[in-house]
Amino acid sequence: MATVNVYQQFFAAECVYDNVVRRAASVLLIVTSEEGHISYEVAVSFFPHVDDEDFAVSYDAYFSKILYQSPGRRSKKREEHLMALLRDEANLLANEAQAKIFWDCPLRDARMG
């Protein structure tokens, strides 16, 4: 099985989960390929981010959703389409956690894989 972060970026966020204040979110588009099957999922992990150097992501406030699953392999066209949906889907996950992602406040540049 191969798992790749197609996209990852850190943003300022607002969340309280398990009585811990979270001030940042890691937003990801993840592709998993195994034996001719492919799946893409959006994931958001909220973490404390106590200072500008703290990117220790805690996975207890991790939310994800499968966006696409089928036989096949990676496709740049499909990934472009899913990237267009990413913010809306991540916002839905944030709403489940009663959280907010501040898209206009990135903490780091995006990493593409």
Side-chain angles (χ1 to χ4, degrees):
M1 173 170 43
T3 300
V4 175
N5 292 345
V6 174
Y7 165 87
Q8 180 181 27
Q9 191 165 12
F10 297 97
F11 293 91
E14 189 175 272
C15 178
V16 176
Y17 188 84
D18 201 21
N19 295 319
V20 176
V21 175
R22 318 304 173 112
R23 294 182 177 90
S26 173
V27 179
L28 302 106
L29 178 63
I30 303 164
V31 62
T32 302
S33 176
E34 182 176 19
E35 297 179 3
H37 288 80
I38 192 94
S39 69
Y40 288 88
E41 76 179 289
V42 62
V44 180
S45 182
F46 295 96
F47 61 101
H49 191 62
V50 295
D51 62 48
D52 289 342
E53 301 300 316
D54 177 26
F55 287 88
V57 177
S58 53
Y59 289 96
D60 62 334
Y62 180 89
F63 306 89
S64 68
K65 176 183 176 185
I66 299 291
L67 298 179
Y68 178 87
Q69 196 169 24
S70 84
R73 55 186 175 174
R74 283 185 75 174
S75 158
K76 288 199 180 283
K77 188 174 181 178
R78 183 181 307 118
E79 289 177 7
E80 288 173 7
H81 172 72
L82 295 173
M83 283 298 298
L85 303 174
L86 183 83
R87 285 189 180 195
D88 288 339
E89 295 293 339
N91 282 334
L92 290 173
L93 293 172
N95 287 341
E96 287 180 25
Q98 298 178 328
K100 181 165 179 58
I101 301 167
F102 300 109
W103 297 106
D104 57 343
C105 296
L107 300 175
R108 293 253 171 112
D109 291 336
R111 290 188 288 186
M112 307 299 280

